[in-house]
Amino acid sequence: MPSEHFIEITLNDWKDIHKLTPAIAEQFVFRGQSFETWDLKTKQRRYFDLNDAIEQEAILLSDFDRIYPKILSNTRCAAFLEYALQKHYAGENLRFLDFTNSFLIALYFALKEGNNNSSVYALNITHLYSDALDLL
């Protein structure tokens, strides 16, 4: 991905928080991780077999097909995403990687284990949406 999709800002002190401008807060979504060496992988990818995930997602899609009326095809994609997210938040092992609009929430998840070398990732959602539309 091009470099404008990612930024790196090192905060060595709480006073450095001013480095995060309002423009960054509005254009990016954030993910906090306890260890800076961790790759951006879902919990499912770290701990479970990929074939199990594919099977779980096939069941999810089958369940959705049973309950969602085919006649509402113009809202099907958004409805499936909402359904899958609800399952994810309920603890299903799906391949979703959580991000938040709040830098402070991401910071909480980065620091909650008490490690010195944690990280907060920021993804530029404007570029992400643009790239996704290009793929469609």
Side-chain angles (χ1 to χ4, degrees):
M1 279 187 199
S3 62
E4 70 267 11
H5 289 50
F6 300 95
I7 60 170
E8 182 174 330
I9 299 174
T10 302
L11 303 176
N12 295 316
D13 191 292
W14 283 108
K15 293 179 216 154
D16 292 339
I17 202 103
H18 72 277
K19 291 180 183 179
L20 297 174
T21 65
I24 289 174
E26 292 172 9
Q27 294 176 7
F28 286 79
V29 291
F30 305 95
R31 175 175 176 80
Q33 295 192 158
S34 298
F35 297 95
E36 67 181 351
T37 57
W38 283 355
D39 292 330
L40 285 175
K41 289 184 180 176
T42 65
K43 178 181 177 184
Q44 195 283 327
R45 263 313 273 260
R46 285 193 302 264
Y47 300 115
F48 301 100
D49 181 38
L50 182 59
N51 291 328
D52 290 342
I54 293 170
E55 184 178 320
Q56 183 76 22
E57 289 167 6
I59 292 168
L60 178 81
L61 187 55
S62 175
D63 290 348
F64 177 76
D65 281 341
R66 250 184 298 122
I67 64 170
Y68 196 78
K70 302 263 191 252
I71 196 168
L72 300 174
S73 61
N74 60 336
T75 59
R76 185 172 177 76
C77 185
F80 177 72
L81 182 59
E82 182 65 30
Y83 178 75
L85 286 171
Q86 287 177 3
K87 293 291 188 175
H88 170 68
Y89 294 138
E92 295 278 338
N93 291 322
L94 302 174
R95 292 179 284 176
F96 286 123
L97 189 60
D98 292 321
F99 280 81
T100 177
N101 289 322
S102 170
F103 171 76
L104 295 176
I105 290 173
L107 188 61
Y108 165 78
F109 283 104
L111 299 176
K112 76 177 190 169
E113 300 291 325
N115 298 313
N116 289 330
N117 295 323
S118 54
S119 61
V120 173
Y121 289 89
L123 269 122
N124 186 319
I125 55 175
T126 304
H127 290 287
L128 190 63
Y129 288 145
S130 175
D131 289 352
L133 290 175
D134 289 344
L135 293 173
L136 298 174

